[in-house]
Amino acid sequence: MTTWNFSSGPAILPRSVVEKAAAAVLDFKGSGIGVLECSHRSKIYEPVVASAQARLRKLMGISDDYGVIFVQGGASQQFAQVPMNLLAATDMADYTDTGTWASKAIKEAKLFGKINVVASTKEEDGTYRSLPGMLLLTPGSKYLHITSNNTIFGTQWHEFPAAKVPLVADMSSDICSRVVDVSKFGVIYAGAQKNLGPSGVTVVIVRKDLLGKTDRQIPTMLDYRTHIENGSMFNTPPAFGIFVLDLVLEWMEEQGGVEGIQKLNDAKAAKLYAEIDRNPLFKGTVDVDVRSRMNVCFVTEKKEHEELFMKLGKSRGFVDFNGHRSVGGFRASIYNAMPEAGVDAMIEAMKDLEKTHG
Ligand code: PMP
């Protein structure tokens, strides 16, 4: 039986990438040693970091005005590192509160500057179902922070807010899933473990002219300039993670780049939402116009069907398709590497539940 991994992250990777990575663990480029055991300064490993950077620049259309770095600490560390690098203590920044991760970003940013929450879509029960409409930004604010895709609740900005200031985006759960105009952004950051590779490596794309404007003492390892100036090789980088990232980016090129992948993602999400809307046993949980194309959240109309669908899904090889513990129901994370056949399997299971219990 095929296993369908709907995990929200760490998540499914392209099979061909996993196979290449597995082979390199045993023998990296015929060197007789595995990639896990190889010096990051060796002749065979070092080019991997530059390759991953070059591929990402090309795939996303990132100009030389930006640094592209691979660091550790996860997206969670970026919640602090962004304001630490961009804001002086007296500076202001605008934030949107659209989900659990957005609110965590706000909490950390408050340690470094004056943070204005310009919109919150938090419901009384603590969940989030929508995204803000027009935003009233604060004059003098340095940037506007958004979470481009809210992994837990399954909402996604399909159009980014128009702002005079640079956008700063946590793109952890939708980076490289759709074409984005990077020039609108001051910073884009993402933990790799959804669309780009394994956990342990975090991608940061940062407009270089925004750096060095605070009078704050920034620890060397947390200063973006350290990693930009040293090509992500100031210290031992997350070597294996970057190696797999490079393989994932190569795979993306073979899929027709971000444009090609976006078409597949749109088609996958459209057919899954169509079934959620058609099938009388299921319903979506967020406003239709902001539905995520990465994390498709839904519940059963009747509570008694929830356990039945859980059992049915497990019997069909579905893994981690339950909703986040704070939400319940179901969440099918259908990142770039999820083949359309996985979405079809989910739809078939929904149809089969309808046949037996509809
Ligand atoms: N932001 C978003 C949108 C996420 O989905 C996650 C992880 N699920 C995080 C931040 C936190 O990432 P990390 O675990 O890499 O710190």
Side-chain angles (χ1 to χ4, degrees):
M1 184 176 59
T2 313
T3 299
W4 295 113
N5 178 9
F6 291 103
S7 168
S8 60
I12 184 172
L13 288 170
R15 195 66 206 166
S16 60
V17 166
V18 175
E19 281 163 7
K20 283 181 195 168
V25 166
L26 297 174
D27 182 5
F28 184 37
K29 293 189 175 162
S31 64
I33 60 166
V35 65
L36 295 171
E37 308 157 282
C38 184
S39 163
H40 60 294
R41 311 255 178 229
S42 65
K43 274 208 181 79
I44 50 169
Y45 181 81
E46 204 169 354
V48 171
V49 182
S51 165
Q53 198 200 123
R55 286 191 210 274
L56 192 65
R57 281 188 182 279
K58 198 149 175 232
L59 281 163
M60 290 185 71
I62 305 169
S63 80
D64 290 341
D65 296 338
Y66 291 79
V68 175
I69 56 174
F70 307 127
V71 292
Q72 308 194 37
S76 299
Q77 182 166 294
Q78 294 309 311
F79 297 161
Q81 208 170 336
V82 165
M84 185 190 281
N85 278 264
L86 264 55
L87 289 184
T90 51
D91 281 343
M92 285 186 300
D94 288 346
Y95 274 66
T96 49
D97 174 22
T98 57
T100 308
W101 300 110
S103 68
K104 290 190 180 192
I106 291 166
K107 175 171 177 267
E108 295 302 302
K110 284 181 176 166
L111 299 171
F112 299 97
K114 297 198 183 333
I115 303 306
N116 310 305
V117 179
V118 291
S120 171
T121 53
K122 192 172 191 167
E123 307 280 335
E124 269 174 23
D125 63 2
T127 65
Y128 298 76
R129 284 198 303 269
S130 59
L131 291 176
M134 276 269 286
L135 296 174
L136 204 58
L137 302 184
T138 317
S141 132
K142 294 281 174 191
Y143 62 81
L144 169 64
H145 183 280
I146 62 166
T147 311
S148 57
N149 183 73
N150 297 283
T151 323
I152 293 176
F153 296 97
T155 60
Q156 185 177 27
W157 295 85
H158 296 303
E159 254 175 65
F160 296 115
K164 286 205 183 84
V165 290
L167 288 172
V168 171
D170 174 0
M171 285 196 192
S172 292
S173 49
D174 67 351
I175 190 165
C176 290
S177 71
R178 53 169 166 172
V179 176
V180 161
D181 178 0
V182 174
S183 71
K184 291 203 172 114
F185 293 84
V187 182
I188 292 171
Y189 62 90
Q193 64 270 26
K194 296 152 201 308
N195 265 335
L196 295 180
S199 64
V201 54
T202 307
V203 171
V204 185
I205 301 160
V206 54
R207 220 177 77 196
K208 289 183 274 190
D209 67 323
L210 300 174
L211 302 177
K213 303 267 166 72
T214 80
D215 45 9
R216 173 177 296 117
Q217 298 277 314
I218 303 175
T220 309
M221 276 296 288
L222 297 176
D223 192 328
Y224 289 137
R225 290 170 298 181
T226 304
H227 302 288
I228 294 173
E229 284 159 18
N230 291 282
S232 300
M233 293 283 270
F234 172 74
N235 68 325
T236 315
F240 183 66
I242 298 171
F243 172 70
V244 179
L245 166 67
D246 188 48
L247 292 177
V248 171
L249 297 173
E250 185 186 31
W251 172 84
M252 287 183 60
E253 290 164 3
E254 292 157 10
Q255 311 305 303
V258 178
E259 291 86 353
I261 286 194
Q262 174 168 0
K263 278 199 196 109
L264 297 173
N265 285 336
D266 288 353
K268 286 186 295 181
K271 60 156 75 161
L272 187 46
Y273 283 118
E275 178 61 19
I276 290 167
D277 292 340
R278 186 211 61 79
N279 193 318
L281 269 55
F282 296 94
K283 63 176 176 194
T285 52
V286 301
D287 289 359
V288 172
D289 55 338
V290 296
R291 282 172 163 176
S292 167
R293 293 180 188 141
M294 295 281 99
N295 310 98
V296 177
C297 296
F298 57 99
V299 291
T300 50
E301 288 278 2
K302 290 190 181 151
K303 195 74 197 150
E304 69 253 33
H305 288 158
E306 184 168 316
E307 213 185 306
L308 285 174
F309 191 64
M310 189 55 79
K311 274 198 189 134
L312 179 64
K314 282 185 181 160
S315 76
R316 306 250 169 125
F318 301 174
V319 175
D320 282 351
F321 63 117
N322 52 297
H324 186 269
R325 57 186 186 277
S326 63
V327 189
F330 300 95
R331 171 174 53 169
S333 296
I334 51 171
Y335 299 121
N336 292 354
M338 173 60 73
E340 196 167 348
V343 173
D344 291 341
M346 178 65 73
I347 292 171
E348 197 182 309
M350 294 168 82
K351 288 196 159 118
D352 288 346
L353 190 75
E354 184 193 8
K355 271 186 213 142
T356 51
H357 291 83

